[in-house]
């Protein structure tokens, strides 16, 4: 008898929605076309891309002409950071220690090239300490980049406040919304941001496509030389099928966002309750209140998360220890480090993340299996490698 | 997951044919296989074309796992590799001894770290692609040569504890190399045409192992003099770590006649060469740290002694001393093995035990 696996790593990637595949199908099976073509095939592709552009814009309350399609969230983040900084005289960028590697590494490259990078730090539950921002903002500041919500612990950041502080000084604000999209409502005007990153595969669209929202009037230097696509902001023949899929995902999400967020929040609670009912020494990392509904980052005392990840995989449950983009990082998650967690606590933490296809049955069975595997590890003493830390 | 009737086995996979066929055979026999590649070295360095844990090898192993449908993981053993294999090897090299890192790696990493990891996964068995055989007989366990005499790797396994051998499967030890390749093709494994790996997994190509280690530990070894057997200076050398007893090539001096390294003195940094091959013969070697896999042989029992994996076993006798030491006396003079190497004694195909040569 084969038992269905339980997938709890939706923050890494989420299965493609059926409606997305159906929307993409014609473009994968014959309705080819380069949107730049004058002919019927080109027009067909152009129309499909334009329609998808509108669907993506609608998800965030933007205008279609403010959407630049990219190859994913990482490229969108890179385009935002380098695009703004390269379009301005040398200066400073302010970002946070919680950002995804694609933002932090881009900032690091800027620093290596002689620009100044200032980091807003995090408190113990993953909230950016933004009250110092007005002091950091100066005549040299060219960009502020802070994520809407964190991919590892799920904490939601006060973007509206941050953007307001920056706007007063005329500094553009970028926000990485890759993990927040589809889980909480997003509106670029309510947030007050000038740039915003999205990724399709996190919301049930295909991998390999994302978007950067760029407010009308914002200056952006393009990163790739070539054709005039995306209003000269991002060259290259459009990934028509991918973009169509992305649009379909956004449209489906918009219809169901609030209900789905509540459903996932309930399931997340049940997952946590289910684990806690069977396990002691379980702590939630991150903000217990202001958080993404689907993300649960748990620390298990006396357990080695690397071994836990493997044993859970062998038991049919997929989880992760943090961003896929930093897998293998010896020091462990930079996000958990930014929360002030020591190496031992980081080594005992795993991330569980739910998605639209997660069912009550999966969460119930998942909690039981997690508790079993944790107990087995604790009993065998393997987790003694990760000793209980004294109170910080 | 389907239940297997034979139990769970962790297969150490190098990306090569032998370990791939090992995994394939065990899957066919009904074991629940978990494939593992040990990460031993920092593989981020794209300039390293050939390393045991290279990304290509890991990808090859992962590909085999995917084709055969079993889980595959990379286990990070870099710290253990550094402390249990590289550092002791470096210490030996600095003292003008020639270490055998493969033996250390087997004992500490494969049958140490990996065996523990396997236990944590509730695996009853561990398997590798070594050409060797294990025979279990009640309480006893015997380690035998692999069936293919040209490929026998039992030499490298003498220090694996019997309790660990008891939990080990060596499927390809029952096959010749030719049979292994045929099996690989039959299993549809893409590694069938990969050549055998020859070097130490961590050696930089073109560099002696000692130099790779020196660079790894940022060590300093004084330059010294190359002398002949009368003490006459023949030239300079960059460090004793580049030489091994009996070495004929790469000496750095041209004498017009064949010459061999006859002595290396780490203290004085002197390397002595002889043109008389007979100077290198010996009939007696001393070993320490001896392990026995079964009963200790009597001093008058004739055993076969090997001081490298591919050499013929030479007949001799073992006299066990105190403190885990022994003296090996050969029937006939042999080319002197280098201190630091392992001397393994056999009774026909069976490994009796082994130790480390001191002199």
């Amino acid at each position: 008898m084969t038992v269905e696996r339980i997938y709890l790593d939706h923050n890494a990637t989420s299965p493609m929605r059926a409606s997305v595949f159906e929307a993409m199908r014609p473009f994968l099976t014959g309705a080819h076309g380069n949107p730049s073509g004058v002919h019927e095939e080109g027009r067909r592709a152009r129309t499909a891309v334009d329609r998808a552009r509108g669907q993506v814009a609608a998800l965030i309350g933007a205008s279609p002409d403010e959407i630049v399609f990219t190859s994913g969230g990482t490229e969108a983040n890179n385009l935002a950071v380098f695009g703004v900084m390269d379009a301005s005289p040398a200066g400073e960028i302010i970002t946070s220690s919680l950002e995804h590697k694609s933002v932090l590494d881009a900032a690091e490259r800027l620093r290596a090239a002689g620009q100044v990078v200032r980091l807003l730090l995090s408190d113990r539950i993953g909230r950016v300490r933004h009250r110092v921002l007005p002091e950091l903002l100066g005549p040299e500041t060219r960009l502020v980049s802070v994520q809407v919500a964190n991919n590892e612990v799920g904490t939601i950041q006060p973007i509206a406040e941050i953007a307001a502080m920056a706007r007063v000084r005329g500094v553009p604000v970028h926000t990485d919304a890759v993990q927040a999209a589809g889980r909480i409502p997003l509106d670029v005007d309510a947030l007050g941001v000038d740039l915003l990153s999205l990724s399709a595969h996190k919301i049930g669209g295909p991998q390999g496509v994302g978007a950067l929202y760029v407010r009308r009037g914002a200056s952006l230097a393009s990163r790739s030389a070539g054709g005039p696509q995306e209003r000269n902001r991002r060259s290259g023949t459009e990934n028509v099928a991918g973009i169509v899929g992305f649009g379909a995902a956004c449209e489906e999400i918009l219809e169901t966002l609030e209900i789905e967020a509540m459903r996932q929040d309930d399931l997340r609670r049940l997952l946590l309750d289910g684990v806690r009912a069977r396990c002691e020494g379980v702590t939630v990392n991150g903000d217990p209140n202001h958080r993404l509904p689907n993300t649960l980052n748990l620390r298990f005392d006396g357990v080695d998360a690397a071994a836990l990840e493997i044993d859970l995989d062998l038991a049919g449950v997929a989880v992760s220890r943090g961003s896929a983009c930093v897998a293998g990082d010896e020091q462990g998650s930079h996000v958990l480090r930014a929360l002030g967690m020591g190496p031992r606590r980081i080594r005992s933490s795993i991330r569980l993340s739910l998605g639209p296809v997660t069912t009550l049955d999966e969460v119930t069975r998942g909690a039981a299996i997690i508790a079993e595997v944790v107990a087995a590890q604790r009993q065998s003493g393997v987790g003694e490698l990760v000793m209980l830390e004294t109170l910080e | 997951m389907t239940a297997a009737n034979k139990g769970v086995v962790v297969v150490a996979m190098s990306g090569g044919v032998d370990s791939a066929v090992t995994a394939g055979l065990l899957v066919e026999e009904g074991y629940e296989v978990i494939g593992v590649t040990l990460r031993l070295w920092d593989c981020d360095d794209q300039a390293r074309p050939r390393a045991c844990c290279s990304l290509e090898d890991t990808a090859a192993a992962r590909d085999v796992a995917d084709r055969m449908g079993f889980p595959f993981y990379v286990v990070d053993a870099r710290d253990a590799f550094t402390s249990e294999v590289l550092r002791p090897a470096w210490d030996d090299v600095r003292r003008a001894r020639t270490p055998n890192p493969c033996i250390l790696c087997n004992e500490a990493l494969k049958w140490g770290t990996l065996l523990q990891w396997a236990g944590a996964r509730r695996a009853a068995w561990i398997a590798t692609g070594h050409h060797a055989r294990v025979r279990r007989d009640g309480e006893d366990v015997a380690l035998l040569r692999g069936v293919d005499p040209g490929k026998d790797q039992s030499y490298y396994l003498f220090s694996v504890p019997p309790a660990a051998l008891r939990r080990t499967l060596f499927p390809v030890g029952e096959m010749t190399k030719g049979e292994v390749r045929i099996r690989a093709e039959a299993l549809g494994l893409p590694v069938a045409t990969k050549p055998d790996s020859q070097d130490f997994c961590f050696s930089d190509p073109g560099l002696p192992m000692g130099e790779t280690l020196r660079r790894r530990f940022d060590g300093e070894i004084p330059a010294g003099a190359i002398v002949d057997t009368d003490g006459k200076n023949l030239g300079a050398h960059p460090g004793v770590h580049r030489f091994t007893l009996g070495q004929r090539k790469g000496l750095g001096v041209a004498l017009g006649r064949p010459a061999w390294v006859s002595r290396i003195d780490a203290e004085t940094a002197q390397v002595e060469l002889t043109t008389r091959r007979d100077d290198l013969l010996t009939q007696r070697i001393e070993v320490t740290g001896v392990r026995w896999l079964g009963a200790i042989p009597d001093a008058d029992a004739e055993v076969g002694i090997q001081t490298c994996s591919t050499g013929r076993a030479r007949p001799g006798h073992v006299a066990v001393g105190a403190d885990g030491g022994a003296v090996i006396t050969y029937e006939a003079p042999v080319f002197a093995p280098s201190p630091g190497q392992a001397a393994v004694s056999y009774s026909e195909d069976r490994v009796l035990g082994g130790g480390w040569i001191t002199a």
Side-chain angles (χ1 to χ4, degrees):
Chain A
M1 183 191 78
T2 329
V3 180
E4 289 288 320
R5 286 182 59 87
I6 298 170
Y7 184 77
L8 298 176
D9 196 19
H10 287 266
N11 283 8
T13 198
S14 212
M16 189 181 291
R17 297 166 186 263
S19 64
V20 166
F21 182 64
E22 285 315 310
M24 289 173 72
R25 188 198 288 271
F27 298 94
L28 297 170
T29 53
H32 65 284
N34 184 321
S36 302
V38 162
H39 36 63
E40 182 179 308
E41 289 81 2
R43 293 197 303 275
R44 174 176 60 196
R46 160 76 56 215
T47 307
V49 167
D50 283 350
R51 186 156 173 262
R53 200 183 297 279
Q55 290 168 320
V56 174
L59 183 66
I60 58 174
S63 294
D65 61 292
E66 294 175 312
I67 300 297
V68 177
F69 286 117
T70 65
S71 61
T74 289
E75 189 195 332
N77 284 340
N78 270 254
L79 182 56
V81 172
F82 289 118
V84 170
M85 298 304 284
D86 289 350
S88 330
E92 304 187 356
I93 173 175
I94 301 174
T95 183
S96 89
S97 56
L98 296 169
E99 300 304 308
H100 186 262
K101 273 293 191 205
S102 54
V103 170
L104 286 177
D105 272 19
E108 177 51 33
R109 287 193 192 187
L110 290 171
R111 197 198 56 76
Q115 307 212 52
V116 175
V117 175
R118 298 192 189 277
L119 281 185
L120 294 170
L121 302 181
S122 165
D123 67 11
R124 287 196 179 295
I125 59 176
R127 295 178 306 193
V128 169
R129 292 189 206 265
H130 68 292
R131 295 197 207 291
V132 300
L133 184 56
E135 292 161 38
L136 298 180
L137 287 162
E140 302 295 313
T141 315
R142 307 284 175 245
L143 179 67
V144 170
S145 176
V146 178
Q147 60 193 199
V148 176
N150 184 265
N151 55 318
E152 297 197 27
V153 296
T155 306
I156 298 173
Q157 307 303 338
I159 297 301
E161 284 178 48
I162 289 172
M165 291 171 178
R167 194 164 41 252
V168 156
R169 307 297 197 93
V171 174
V173 175
H174 163 252
T175 188
D176 175 355
V178 164
Q179 289 294 346
R183 300 187 180 128
I184 58 172
L186 294 174
D187 184 283
V188 290
D189 289 335
L191 292 172
V193 298
D194 304 279
L195 303 115
L196 181 147
S197 303
L198 294 170
S199 169
H201 73 98
K202 306 286 190 187
I203 56 173
Q207 290 160 344
V209 60
L212 179 68
Y213 156 79
V214 183
R215 185 176 288 278
R216 246 184 237 135
S219 297
L220 194 78
S222 95
R223 302 268 299 149
S224 46
Q229 292 89 352
E230 301 305 295
R231 293 167 185 257
N232 284 298
R233 290 172 298 190
R234 198 271 190 176
S235 309
T237 301
E238 298 87 338
N239 175 357
V240 178
I243 287 169
V244 166
F246 190 9
C250 289
E251 183 165 274
E252 185 169 289
I253 284 181
L254 206 48
E255 286 161 12
T256 57
L257 199 150
E258 318 248 334
I259 302 254
E260 182 54 29
M262 286 196 319
R263 191 190 75 91
Q264 288 183 27
D265 195 58
D266 285 343
L267 288 182
R268 181 187 51 80
R269 266 179 232 281
L270 285 171
L271 179 57
L272 179 60
D273 289 347
V275 170
R276 277 211 159 124
R278 299 170 172 88
C279 259
E280 290 186 2
V282 181
T283 315
V284 177
N285 297 321
D287 190 331
N289 301 313
H290 216 47
R291 32 115 31 70
L292 291 178
N294 75 318
T295 304
L296 188 59
N297 196 304
L298 297 180
R299 185 177 95 231
F300 292 92
D301 294 339
V303 163
D304 176 42
L308 186 59
E309 203 180 22
I310 287 175
D311 285 336
L312 283 172
D313 178 44
L314 291 170
V317 178
V319 305
S320 87
R321 280 183 289 146
S323 169
C325 296
V326 298
D329 186 347
E330 281 113 62
Q331 288 182 286
S333 155
H334 71 281
V335 168
L336 297 184
R337 258 185 290 133
L339 266 63
M341 284 171 63
R344 286 186 184 129
R345 287 189 173 174
I346 294 176
R347 284 273 324 216
S348 318
S349 297
I350 58 167
R351 178 188 71 183
L352 311 171
S353 47
L354 314 181
V357 298
T358 308
T359 64
L360 173 60
D361 176 63
E362 286 179 317
V363 156
T364 313
R365 281 192 299 123
I369 295 173
I370 290 169
E372 244 174 70
V373 173
V374 166
Q377 258 210 38
R378 282 173 171 166
Q379 194 178 42
S380 72
V382 162
E384 287 306 309
L385 298 169
V386 184
M387 295 179 323
L388 289 171
E389 229 180 24
T390 53
L391 289 171
E392 290 164 310
Chain B
M1 279 191 307
T2 53
N5 49 13
K6 290 274 191 91
V8 180
V9 58
V10 168
V11 179
M13 299 182 72
S14 66
V17 194
D18 293 325
S19 50
V21 168
T22 296
L25 288 173
L26 293 172
V27 167
E28 285 192 336
E29 286 177 35
Y31 286 89
E32 201 179 311
V33 171
I34 301 175
V36 170
T37 289
L38 288 173
R39 184 174 180 197
L40 305 175
W41 195 267
D42 284 317
C43 300
D44 305 331
D45 188 345
Q46 289 142 331
R48 292 176 61 77
R50 222 225 89 64
C52 188
C53 68
S54 74
L55 293 176
E56 290 83 13
D57 291 331
T58 303
R62 185 181 291 114
D63 184 61
V64 170
D66 184 63
R67 284 163 185 273
M68 310 237 43
F70 56 83
F72 171 81
Y73 304 102
V74 174
V75 172
D76 187 349
R78 284 176 293 173
D79 285 349
F81 188 63
T82 298
S83 63
E84 307 298 314
V85 178
L86 295 182
R87 200 166 277 286
W90 170 235
D91 285 342
D92 264 355
V93 152
R94 269 192 308 182
R95 294 183 288 134
R97 292 161 57 89
T98 305
N100 193 313
C102 302
I103 294 177
L104 299 175
C105 184
N106 284 334
E107 189 187 340
L109 276 291
K110 296 190 190 81
W111 280 272
T113 304
L114 186 59
L115 189 61
Q116 268 177 29
W117 188 93
R121 310 280 89 72
R122 305 281 201 266
W125 304 99
I126 184 174
T128 71
H130 283 100
H131 283 263
R133 289 173 290 166
V134 169
R135 290 287 177 267
R136 278 161 276 265
D137 178 18
E139 286 291 305
D140 295 329
V141 63
L143 174 65
L144 304 179
R145 294 182 190 282
V147 145
D148 186 333
K151 290 290 165 193
D152 174 42
Q153 291 169 311
S154 58
Y155 172 81
Y156 296 108
L157 302 167
F158 83 87
S159 64
V160 176
L165 283 176
R166 201 176 248 305
R167 294 172 56 192
T168 303
L169 303 171
F170 291 123
V172 305
E174 317 281 344
M175 305 161 73
T176 64
K177 191 70 177 184
E179 285 168 355
V180 170
R181 285 192 186 272
I182 290 170
R183 218 56 170 84
E185 279 167 22
L187 288 168
L189 296 173
V191 296
T193 52
K194 225 181 135 182
D196 291 343
S197 42
Q198 298 292 346
D199 303 323
F200 293 115
C201 64
F202 59 84
S203 265
D204 286 322
L207 278 186
M209 179 202 4
E211 180 58 19
T212 301
L213 288 168
R214 191 194 67 74
R215 292 182 189 192
R216 169 66 178 77
F217 290 102
D218 209 19
E220 282 173 18
I221 300 221
I226 303 179
V227 299
D228 68 11
T229 47
D230 298 319
K232 181 177 126 202
N233 192 308
L234 299 173
H237 70 75
V240 297
H241 63 300
R242 286 174 168 269
F243 298 92
T244 186
L245 201 67
Q247 184 177 334
R248 233 192 92 165
K249 302 201 170 140
L251 301 178
V253 294
L255 296 180
R257 313 194 265 166
W260 294 265
V261 173
S262 48
R263 245 177 34 94
I264 310 174
D265 189 327
E267 308 266 314
T268 60
Q270 241 184 34
V271 174
E272 181 194 86
L273 300 185
T274 182
T275 51
R276 296 180 300 264
R277 196 177 178 280
D278 282 0
D279 285 354
L280 294 158
L281 298 177
T282 185
Q283 244 176 302
R284 181 185 186 279
I285 56 176
E286 290 172 19
V287 293
T288 57
V290 183
R291 325 282 185 88
W292 297 107
L293 286 173
I296 299 174
D298 291 333
D300 48 13
E302 188 178 276
V303 299
I305 312 290
Q306 257 177 245
T307 53
C308 67
S309 180
T310 51
R312 257 186 319 124
R314 305 291 177 134
H317 299 263
V318 181
V320 175
D323 307 334
V327 173
I328 294 172
T329 311
Y330 288 97
E331 290 285 306
V334 300
F335 212 63
S338 183
Q341 284 295 284
V344 178
S345 54
Y346 289 79
S347 168
E348 300 293 332
D349 274 358
R350 183 177 167 156
V351 174
L352 299 173
W356 301 95
I357 299 169
T358 52

